[in-house]
Amino acid sequence: MERRPEDVLWDVVERHLEEASFLWEQWARHLFTVDFTLAELEERLESRLLAHLQGLVVGGAPVAERLLLPLLELEEDSVEEEPLRVSAGARVLLDGWNEPAAHAVFDSFARAGPVLRSALQRALEFSERRDVARRLGPYLVEGGPELQSAVLEVLAFREEAPQVSLEAFLLGEDPRVALSALHLLEALPQLPIGADVLRKLFAHPALRESALAVGLLRGHREAWTQCSQAVAARVPCERSLYVLTSLLGGREDLRWLVEHLETPRLRGEVLWALGFSGRVEAADACVELLGDKLHGRVAAEAFRAITGLVLEQPFVQESPDDGSEDLPLEEDLDADLALTPEASLPVPEPEAIREWWRTQRSRFDVKTRYLEGRPWSGEVLMAALETVPMRRRHVLARQLALESRGAFRLNTLASTRRQRRQLTHLQELLASAGRAAGSWRPWRGHDD
């Protein structure tokens, strides 16, 4: 029996929408913090978010007509105040009701301004509908650059191929569209792209970072050469290039990264990258910077990622009540550490960690890469994706894709439910390929 408006407990329904938007915001923020693992994110936030979305579905057509459909017509400034309220409402309209409700979301997405379209984009990315790519396809031909870019981003997030060639988007005049097309190529490495097209994009300042990532995913040596040369120069470059060099580089590349630690403005980015190198030399460099006022926490985090040392007493300090451990260095007085994930990292006890390293270093082989204290393998990497803090999983997933040349991919920004499906599939691939337990032979950018 259809619900009537008078049957709806409107205060309860409003509460569902408020809670859904709040939990979605918290969920998105904790994708990049040290506070949650995948299982914790699922249990403490996503399960509650889905329950509130389901509460809106149960409200039936009256809730859709009175509360949710009007969200699709909001002015830009109204959406800007609470974008995830719109995202939550649109997600329910897409997956919870009839075809006219879903059509309204697609139509609003095509007509919307940038703020409303961004909110609807999130809903389309997380929708369980199977026809999103087909419904959005015509906009790639008929839409303007802003709409084309948004459609390509949705397809990239959902890892769904378009029905048109990407070359015109990559070589067009609007770099926003080209960047979104590169994101889609990174999400779907099987999509074709010519080496000559990539070379042109390597030279574009706004596109170089993503173009190099796409090239490396396909094993292009020229992409590796450009990445390596950019990092070798003693000037700041894109953060991801330090990470890519750490993941794919050899001993000489690692030496360059360690030398960059001498430059204060590069230190934080390089320490973050070194934690993914798995090398003993990188752990040595991190130990030397444990007492750094601004970057000591990241140095300890990177050291732990390599060696597996659990950062608890006696290897961490008790946080003082005056917050003095958060004070930035003189040249970084504008830094607001309270707003960064690093603020949640424990403050290391340098001497305790150094003493531990003096006694344990000999059991680590300088020729071996380590992850959480274990020799690197496909099996170890898959286990880490289940247990490490959320903020580190994004790089580990990139490593998984790079070292399998795109065969093994995990979208660490997707719902945990979707990630669980992908992880199960990846475990099956590893088992069938016989690549677990050290038999994986990954591609490297270096020759040594």
Side-chain angles (χ1 to χ4, degrees):
M1 185 176 69
E2 288 191 10
R3 283 181 175 266
R4 299 172 299 173
E6 56 268 29
D7 296 329
V8 177
L9 299 175
W10 289 102
D11 57 336
V12 174
V13 171
E14 281 281 0
R15 181 70 173 173
H16 280 312
L17 185 55
E18 289 173 7
E19 286 294 314
S21 60
F22 170 77
L23 288 167
W24 200 335
E25 180 181 20
Q26 293 298 305
W27 180 91
R29 184 173 72 84
H30 282 290
L31 288 174
F32 299 94
T33 68
V34 300
D35 304 319
F36 286 76
T37 63
L38 183 66
E40 291 167 339
L41 187 71
E42 183 175 23
E43 179 181 351
R44 295 167 60 181
L45 288 176
E46 187 169 311
S47 62
R48 294 163 58 199
L49 167 60
L50 294 175
H52 285 292
L53 292 176
Q54 184 59 33
L56 291 168
V57 172
V58 171
V63 172
E65 293 165 3
R66 180 183 296 188
L67 188 62
L68 304 183
L69 287 170
L71 295 173
L72 306 181
E73 305 296 333
L74 289 176
E75 299 293 333
E76 291 283 277
D77 55 350
S78 297
V79 179
E80 201 161 13
E81 293 176 4
E82 228 177 337
L84 285 169
R85 183 180 177 91
V86 177
S87 300
R91 167 71 164 74
V92 173
L93 289 171
L94 283 167
D95 293 8
W97 273 293
N98 54 21
E99 177 56 28
H103 177 79
V105 177
F106 285 104
D107 183 59
S108 180
F109 177 74
R111 295 184 292 104
V115 179
L116 177 56
R117 179 175 292 139
S118 178
L120 297 177
Q121 179 180 322
R122 293 190 193 95
L124 289 164
E125 288 170 346
F126 283 90
S127 172
E128 297 286 338
R129 295 181 68 94
R130 297 180 178 273
D131 63 348
V132 170
R134 178 181 63 79
R135 299 283 289 268
L136 295 180
Y139 301 146
L140 289 176
V141 178
E142 303 164 4
E146 296 86 356
L147 181 55
Q148 290 175 330
S149 177
V151 170
L152 290 169
E153 293 290 353
V154 172
L155 296 180
F157 190 94
R158 296 175 62 87
E159 299 174 280
E160 295 176 347
Q163 298 302 308
V164 296
S165 170
L166 293 180
E167 186 166 319
F169 300 122
L170 293 166
L171 299 178
E173 297 181 357
D174 196 309
R176 294 169 299 177
V177 178
L179 185 61
S180 297
L182 284 168
H183 293 163
L184 182 52
L185 283 168
E186 189 171 3
L188 293 175
Q190 71 271 22
L191 293 177
I193 179 175
D196 56 333
V197 175
L198 268 182
R199 289 191 192 97
K200 291 179 181 178
L201 300 178
F202 292 161
H204 194 300
L207 303 176
R208 179 181 75 155
E209 183 179 14
S210 289
L212 289 175
V214 170
L216 290 171
L217 198 57
R218 286 160 169 74
H220 286 207
R221 288 291 174 182
E222 185 174 344
W224 169 247
T225 298
Q226 293 219 17
C227 178
S228 182
Q229 289 174 348
V231 170
R234 287 201 174 229
V235 294
C237 65
E238 298 90 338
R239 183 186 198 187
S240 71
L241 299 191
Y242 296 119
V243 172
L244 290 167
T245 300
S246 185
L247 293 176
L248 298 176
R251 307 295 286 276
E252 182 71 8
D253 303 292
L254 182 65
R255 183 179 64 81
W256 288 337
L257 286 174
V258 170
E259 287 179 357
H260 285 351
L261 293 174
E262 299 171 6
T263 305
R265 60 179 174 169
L266 302 180
R267 192 168 294 156
E269 304 289 6
V270 173
L271 280 170
W272 168 255
L274 286 174
F276 298 98
S277 71
R279 300 289 191 181
V280 172
E281 298 97 315
D284 289 336
C286 292
V287 163
E288 294 301 315
L289 289 169
L290 291 172
D292 186 288
K293 193 68 174 179
L294 187 61
H295 302 298
R297 298 181 185 202
V298 180
E301 178 190 33
F303 181 81
R304 181 247 167 90
I306 299 168
T307 65
L309 174 66
V310 178
L311 293 178
E312 56 187 27
Q313 292 289 341
F315 303 112
V316 297
Q317 301 177 23
E318 293 185 9
S319 299
D321 295 333
D322 62 5
S324 59
E325 81 280 9
D326 285 343
L327 292 178
L329 296 178
E330 184 70 25
E331 64 270 25
D332 292 288
L333 289 178
D334 291 331
D336 188 350
L337 296 183
L339 299 178
T340 67
E342 288 80 6
S344 297
L345 292 170
V347 180
E349 185 61 70
E351 286 308 312
I353 296 176
R354 287 168 186 155
E355 178 59 29
W356 181 88
W357 188 229
R358 279 192 288 270
T359 64
Q360 298 296 318
R361 189 184 187 281
S362 60
R363 68 182 178 86
F364 289 85
D365 185 348
V366 295
K367 296 181 180 180
T368 300
R369 292 164 63 95
Y370 293 89
L371 178 56
E372 299 288 321
R374 302 172 63 189
W376 194 98
S377 69
E379 184 180 54
V380 169
L381 179 55
M382 290 296 297
L385 284 166
E386 291 278 0
T387 59
V388 302
M390 295 300 294
R391 97 184 196 110
R392 302 191 64 80
R393 296 178 73 250
H394 312 296
V395 175
L396 294 183
R398 169 168 271 186
Q399 183 177 19
L400 182 72
L402 283 168
E403 301 200 4
S404 65
R405 293 204 182 184
F408 297 1
R409 301 188 309 279
L410 174 67
N411 185 349
T412 51
L413 301 179
S415 67
T416 61
R417 189 162 56 178
R418 178 176 166 192
Q419 290 192 53
R420 289 290 178 203
R421 293 196 296 265
Q422 290 184 326
L423 285 167
T424 298
H425 178 61
L426 289 172
Q427 292 285 9
E428 293 170 352
L429 284 177
L430 278 169
S432 64
R435 290 178 169 176
S439 59
W440 189 331
R441 295 294 179 264
W443 173 77
R444 300 280 186 214
H446 61 86
D447 296 321
D448 56 3

